[in-house]
């Protein structure tokens, strides 16, 4: 089928052709200005007979209307309509290894009281799910090339409109650009790619909530777009025409009622010789407060991830979230301890969420996934009393190494392309700062770069580490040794060893991230220095969108030349009962905090160690939480959090620096 040209554009082309044939020279005043992106949606809606509100609503829930530089999402989707091409993505060169010294790979359990859990590679043949191959279907419907559908936003919008129209036709629903948007509910649900009725309905419900509330924003290409709010009363009876199975929602599943969630329990199994997997039983929060929710990226498909979580010899996490529609599977109850963050102290006090990612190319995340994840996190945080801030809602890349030797092996997901600011807006806890003139006296600064325009020049997304990445939106803020753009990047001796920091996408040795709050060290009109891993680190204000803040900071007690930093807040030796091995309280050898330095203070924590080293708790002390008299203060130390002993520091208000 040949690609059709909208009549509005055909008229312009015809007029131009006639003028040239007559030997006339067109002038700027006679030329029609390029159509706006809003007009592109309208033209595609008219061409394929889809209500433009429906087309805009679906596109918003997929990409928030962004083009993402023609690069794939974490589930292999392209463009504003998230047309998926998983086979093509899987065939692309993978990213190079991270810029770190040789290190022992991360032990997801993060506890040296027993051998680390075995792991398996996550690479697998491209998944066969139709939801991950909608771009070829759009190419067949439109006659447009796969390359155009991947890289040209206008072509991509037309491809999405063609898919929606084909779904509506298969459902025998009313068609036409002027048809009732309410009658397109089932087609919208089909567009989600969901494999069950609840997930398809949850996606469609979010689209129609967007139609009801309206939306407006400027895209990553600078196009202003608007979807006016309207009354909605979708026809949900046709959902059954999709023929999707209905999932039973088991009692006790820990998900809010308005999202699609199923139970796929991770196996708890003994292997003999004292070995077992793939998580530990617990009694949280009665036995131990849950402090953290850790955001992960799977770097594998939904199918691969579910295969791994079902393997008792592999590691574990509490939830997996699917990219195309936001569907959730719960694997481990919140009362139990999953093996996911690479730090046992954090694992014992955390819930882990794995967000589907297709291949290790970096990428962007769908709005459907962001919304479902935020609903789940907000639900868990409110139920468990977890504050909605970046001290408690953290990425895997913010989890500290347990001891000096494990720092360089820690993971870097969900990566620099996770939109933390938008995520916290969805959590209803947006980042805030002080108004002027109070900002001039703030001793803390929260990073809040403009996600749409902040596009650091990362390298190594595919192929060699020096290959430039596409210019994609990012939450990262680049940190330098001096207040100018030619100064070297700051160095992280624990993470990158003796190597200089680089702009490799996986190398966060010289980066802060949106929502992280640091202690201010120095300010100029255009630059700010923060205390970062024992040094001053400078960012340009125009890049960081700084929010000046107050709160509390820590500094070494008077008379101390320096103090140690720890990766876990374990008790002192005297706290352990007889027969229970004492866990070493090991300070990092690569870092200290010198007198005169200051760091943003997080929660004050009682030292704890959850003893769980055997399957049946046959070892002395197993299944108990050991608490000491030592207290720690969590700090924003670098890209990752850290812990300092309460007795080593002064905690004071951060009002003047």
């Amino acid at each position: 089928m040949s690609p059709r040209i909208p009549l509005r554009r055909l008229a312009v082309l015809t007029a131009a052709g006639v003028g040239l044939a007559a030997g006339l020279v067109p002038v700027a005043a006679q030329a029609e200005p390029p159509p706006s992106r809003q007009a592109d949606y309208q033209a595609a809606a008219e061409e394929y007979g889809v209500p433009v509100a429906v087309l805009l609503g679906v596109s918003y829930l997929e990409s928030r209307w962004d083009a993402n530089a023609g690069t794939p999402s974490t589930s292999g989707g392209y463009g504003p309509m998230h047309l998926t091409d998983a086979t093509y993505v899987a065939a692309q060169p993978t990213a190079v290894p991270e810029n770190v010294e040789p290190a022992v790979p991360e032990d997801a359990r993060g506890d040296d009281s027993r051998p680390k859990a075995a792991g398996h590679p996550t690479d697998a043949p491209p998944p066969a799910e139709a939801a991950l191959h909608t771009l070829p279907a759009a190419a067949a419907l439109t006659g447009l090339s796969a390359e155009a559908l991947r890289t040209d936003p206008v072509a991509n919008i037309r491809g999405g409109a063609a898919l929606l129209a084909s779904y509506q036709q298969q459902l025998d629903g009313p068609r036409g650009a002027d048809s009732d948007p309410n009658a397109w509910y089932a087609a919208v649900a089909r567009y989600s790619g969901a494999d069950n009725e609840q997930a398809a309905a949850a996606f469609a419900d979010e689209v129609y909530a967007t139609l009801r509330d309206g939306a407006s924003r400027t895209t990553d290409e600078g196009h202003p777009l608007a979807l006016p709010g309207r009354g909605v009363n979708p026809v949900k009876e046709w959902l059954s025409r999709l023929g999707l199975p209905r999932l039973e929602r088991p009692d006790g599943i820990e998900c809010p009622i308005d999202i699609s969630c199923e139970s796929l329990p991770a196996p708890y199994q003994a292997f003999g010789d004292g070995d077992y997997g793939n998580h530990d039983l617990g009694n949280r929060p009665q036995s131990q407060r849950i402090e953290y929710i850790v955001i992960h990226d799977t770097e594998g498909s939904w199918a691969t991830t579910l295969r791994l979580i079902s393997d008792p010899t592999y590691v574990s996490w509490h939830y997996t979230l699917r990219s195309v529609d936001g569907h959730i599977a719960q694997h481990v109850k919140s009362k139990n301890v999953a093996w996911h963050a690479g730090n046992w102290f954090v694992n014992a006090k955390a819930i882990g969420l794995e967000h589907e990612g297709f291949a290790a190319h970096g990428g962007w995340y769908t709005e459907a996934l962001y919304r479902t994840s935020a609903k789940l996190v907000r639900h868990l945080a409110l139920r468990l009393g977890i504050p909605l801030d970046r001290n408690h809602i953290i990425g895997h890349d913010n989890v500290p190494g347990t001891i000096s030797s494990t720092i360089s092996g820690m993971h870097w997901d969900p990566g620099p392309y996770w939109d933390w600011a938008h995520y916290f807006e969805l959590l209803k806890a947006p980042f805030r700062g002080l108004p002027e003139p109070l900002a001039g006296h703030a001793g803390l600064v929260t990073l809040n770069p403009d996600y749409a325009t902040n596009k650091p020049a990362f390298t190594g997304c595919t192929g060699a580490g020096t290959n430039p990445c596409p210019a994609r939106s990012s939450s990262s803020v680049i940190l330098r040794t001096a207040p100018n753009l030619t100064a070297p990047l700051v160095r992280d001796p624990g993470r990158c060893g003796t190597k200089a920091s680089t702009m490799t996408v996986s190398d966060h040795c010289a980066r802060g991230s949106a929502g992280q709050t640091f202690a201010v060290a120095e300010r100029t009109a255009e630059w700010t220095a923060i205390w970062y891993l024992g040094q001053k680190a400078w960012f340009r204000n125009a890049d960081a969108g700084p929010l000046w803040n107050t709160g509390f900071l820590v500094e070494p007690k008077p008379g101390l030349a320096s103090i140690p930093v720890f990766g876990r807040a374990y008790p002192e030796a005297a706290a352990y009962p007889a027969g229970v091995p004492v866990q070493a309280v090991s300070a990092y050898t690569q870092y200290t905090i010198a007198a005169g330095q200051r760091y943003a203070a997080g929660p004050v924590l009682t030292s704890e160690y959850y003893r769980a080293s055997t399957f049946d708790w046959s070892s002395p002390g197993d299944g108990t939480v050991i608490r000491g008299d030592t207290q720690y203060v969590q700090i924003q130390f670098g890209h990752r959090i850290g812990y300092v002993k309460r007795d080593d520091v002064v905690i004071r208000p951060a009002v003047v620096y």
Side-chain angles (χ1 to χ4, degrees), residues 51-66:
V52 69
V54 170
L55 187 61
L56 283 165
V58 169
S59 181
Y60 189 88
L61 200 63
E62 294 287 13
S63 68
R64 296 178 77 211
W65 304 325
D66 284 340

Side-chain angles (χ1 to χ4, degrees), residues 163-181:
L163 278 177
L164 273 169
S166 70
Y167 298 156
Q168 184 75 343
Q169 182 177 13
Q170 293 165 20
L171 290 162
D172 198 26
R175 285 169 285 160
D178 59 351
S179 59
D180 183 3

Side-chain angles (χ1 to χ4, degrees), residues 271-349:
F271 310 136
D273 296 326
D275 197 10
Y276 68 97
N278 62 10
H279 59 280
D280 281 291
L281 302 182
N283 189 33
R284 308 181 309 173
Q286 285 78 13
S287 63
Q288 192 172 23
R289 177 181 170 84
I290 299 176
E291 292 277 354
Y292 307 106
I293 296 176
V294 182
I295 304 300
H296 299 262
D297 174 9
T298 64
E299 293 298 337
S301 72
W302 171 261
T304 297
T305 305
L306 296 192
R307 175 176 63 84
L308 292 172
I309 193 67
S310 66
D311 183 349
T313 69
Y314 196 62
V315 296
S316 59
W317 48 94
H318 292 86
Y319 298 88
T320 302
L321 292 90
R322 188 162 61 196
S323 176
V324 291
D325 56 3
H327 178 65
I328 296 174
Q330 183 176 8
H331 311 298
V332 179
K333 292 287 189 181
S334 62
K335 69 178 182 178
N336 296 327
V337 180
W339 305 347
H340 59 98
N343 184 316
W344 182 247
F345 177 78
V346 173
N347 277 339
K349 299 171 73 64

